[in-house]
Amino acid sequence: MACTPWFCVGMGWLPISLGIMISATFVISYSISVGLQHVPAEFPYISDTGTYHPESCIFGQLLNISAALAFMTIYVRYKQVEEYNREASTQVIKVNKVSLVLGGLACLGMSMVANFQETSILVVHIIAANMCFGLGIIYCYLQTWISYRMVPFYTTMHSFRVQLVLSTTAASGLILTSIFAGLANMKWTGTDPTKWSPDEGGFAEHIVSTVSEWVLAISFLLFFFTYIREFQKVTIEAHLRLYTEDLEPINYPEV
């Protein structure tokens, strides 16, 4: 029997693919935007690295793919929890359904962030970012609670604790990003928000805000990595059902 690589066991490849795609999105868009001097190298906002052409095209395409992979990961997790708790607590089933909806909306926000740059339609971009990060954090906390309820039969206490730390880190990152972004904007005297220099005011607060956003994004990425071991225990199959009784014969006209 051929040996199957560990990353191809079960559905474990899915969160791994998501991590690779998101990492590629950040690295490629950051490298191009810094190389073309569209943004400074010192911790720009993630969205700033995908604002100008040509990196905005690559950023948008890769982030859309990442959003699709994220929703696929969220759906597999939903089905996994549903199967494990089919005859168990109905509370877990309800929370799992809520987390699926919130996770799906967070993925929609991620796609909108990719397609509505901050320099084009700022209001939509901010709403989308809040959907992605805000609803994403709630999703992480709900799934962390579900993991706690499934200990010790379907997951481990260690996995629950890691998820709790990552969820709290992401929430802290969002709070710090929002607070220090507001403080930085109050002091800012520049003209281009994507090229913030130390002499324009609020630079220290700006750096705290951008670093917090990167920590937030990395925490999300690591949270999905906690699914790898659990996904390696499951597979998903599609079943096609043909309702022949509803079919009617097709009478082609005679030639």
Side-chain angles (χ1 to χ4, degrees):
M1 182 180 297
C3 179
T4 303
W6 71 270
F7 52 84
C8 293
V9 176
M11 297 296 296
W13 59 269
L14 187 53
I16 295 175
S17 300
L18 173 61
I20 293 174
M21 184 58 63
I22 291 181
S23 299
T25 302
F26 292 164
V27 171
I28 294 174
S29 60
Y30 173 84
S31 300
I32 296 176
S33 59
V34 172
L36 295 177
Q37 297 182 350
H38 290 165
V39 296
E42 299 83 7
F43 293 103
Y45 282 114
I46 297 174
S47 298
D48 290 349
T49 65
T51 298
Y52 300 106
H53 298 293
E55 61 267 21
S56 62
C57 304
I58 299 173
F59 181 82
Q61 182 64 45
L62 294 183
L63 200 60
N64 281 325
I65 297 174
S66 299
L69 289 173
F71 182 74
M72 292 169 61
T73 304
I74 288 171
Y75 182 74
V76 171
R77 171 66 174 180
Y78 164 77
K79 296 299 293 185
Q80 179 193 32
V81 173
E82 182 184 53
E83 186 66 27
Y84 285 164
N85 296 273
R86 190 172 297 276
E87 299 179 358
S89 172
T90 56
Q91 189 176 17
V92 172
I93 297 296
K94 292 179 180 178
V95 172
N96 192 40
K97 291 180 179 179
V98 172
S99 69
L100 174 65
V101 174
L102 295 180
L105 291 175
C107 294
L108 176 61
M110 183 190 300
S111 179
M112 292 173 62
V113 165
N115 298 318
F116 295 89
Q117 287 82 20
E118 60 179 310
T119 55
S120 300
I121 309 179
L122 180 60
V123 174
V124 177
H125 183 85
I126 293 176
I127 293 174
N130 287 326
M131 286 176 58
C132 178
F133 291 138
L135 298 181
I137 289 173
I138 298 176
Y139 167 82
C140 291
Y141 272 116
L142 291 179
Q143 285 299 322
T144 300
W145 178 83
I146 290 175
S147 295
Y148 176 76
R149 292 295 299 269
M150 294 197 303
V151 174
F153 300 104
Y154 303 115
T155 188
T156 64
M157 184 61 69
H158 174 72
S159 179
F160 157 73
R161 289 170 178 165
V162 171
Q163 290 179 352
L164 181 60
V165 170
L166 292 174
S167 300
T168 304
T169 302
S172 302
L174 178 60
I175 293 172
L176 291 175
T177 299
S178 302
I179 292 176
F180 282 92
L183 294 175
N185 287 325
M186 291 172 60
K187 300 180 180 180
W188 183 53
T189 58
T191 57
D192 187 354
T194 63
K195 296 180 180 179
W196 206 304
S197 60
D199 58 347
E200 292 178 345
F203 183 75
E205 292 83 354
H206 171 71
I207 292 298
V208 173
S209 179
T210 56
V211 170
S212 298
E213 186 189 46
W214 282 95
V215 171
L216 165 61
I218 294 173
S219 298
F220 272 138
L221 179 59
L222 295 178
F223 186 92
F224 282 110
F225 279 173
T226 65
Y227 289 165
I228 295 176
R229 294 294 298 273
E230 296 182 22
F231 277 24
Q232 288 177 335
K233 304 174 184 177
V234 299
T235 57
I236 286 185
E237 298 178 353
H239 297 279
L240 177 65
R241 295 180 181 179
L242 182 61
Y243 294 94
T244 56
E245 63 271 14
D246 295 334
L247 299 179
E248 297 180 359
I250 301 176
N251 297 319
Y252 293 100
E254 297 182 358
V255 179

